[in-house]
Amino acid sequence: MSERALRGTRLGATSYETDRGIDLAPRQTVEYACTNGHRFEVPFSVEAEIPTVWECRFCGSEALLLNGDEPEEKKAKPARTHWDMLMERRTREELEEVLAERLAVLRSGRMNIAVHPRDSRKSA
């Protein structure tokens, strides 16, 4: 009998409590606008720190806080190149020495340089 009584009530999905006699936390409504012209409001607690950027409800792009400060630009690290990483591991003198050694090996003919099959057809 009790199984039939609970069937179809979406148990756990719906609260049967009411808001009567409950004091809600004080709130403030903040307005955002995205680059596509959408404007929308988001409720926050009075005590909450208001973010300057919020995702637009309509298009998903970045929306900025109206009547607020511009978001701070994050300092981006400059991209490290292969040369930068090489210079972290070796000094310029060490690199000159390695280069001289490799050039000596190439000039002596001790190193067998493989020729790509397509390159050999062109010369024939």
Side-chain angles (χ1 to χ4, degrees):
M1 175 87 174
S2 65
E3 288 180 17
R4 288 187 204 163
L6 294 176
R7 193 174 293 168
T9 62
R10 299 184 313 200
L11 189 63
T14 306
S15 175
Y16 295 108
E17 295 182 10
T18 62
D19 293 339
R20 239 180 287 148
I22 297 175
D23 291 330
L24 298 176
R27 297 172 187 256
Q28 61 180 329
T29 303
V30 179
E31 190 174 12
Y32 288 91
C34 78
T35 54
N36 296 329
H38 301 125
R39 291 181 140 207
F40 57 95
E41 295 180 341
V42 179
F44 287 99
S45 169
V46 173
E47 301 167 357
E49 185 176 322
I50 308 300
T52 55
V53 178
W54 197 264
E55 184 179 321
C56 178
R57 290 182 176 172
F58 305 104
C59 62
S61 66
E62 200 172 76
L64 296 176
L65 176 66
L66 290 179
N67 302 326
D69 298 331
E70 291 290 319
E72 293 180 14
E73 292 284 332
K74 293 182 181 176
K75 290 186 178 180
K77 285 183 169 179
R80 283 177 44 195
T81 64
H82 293 291
W83 179 253
D84 295 333
M85 290 185 261
L86 181 65
M87 293 307 290
E88 289 174 5
R89 294 190 309 269
R90 304 212 184 217
T91 63
R92 195 167 195 95
E93 292 78 28
E94 290 173 332
L95 291 173
E96 292 287 342
E97 186 178 321
V98 170
L99 177 63
E101 289 173 8
R102 299 311 300 163
L103 286 174
V105 170
L106 284 172
R107 288 178 182 143
S108 70
R110 291 181 287 167
M111 186 173 183
N112 184 10
I113 300 174
V115 177
H116 197 275
R118 280 189 256 155
D119 294 339
S120 63
R121 279 185 274 155
K122 289 179 185 175
S123 62

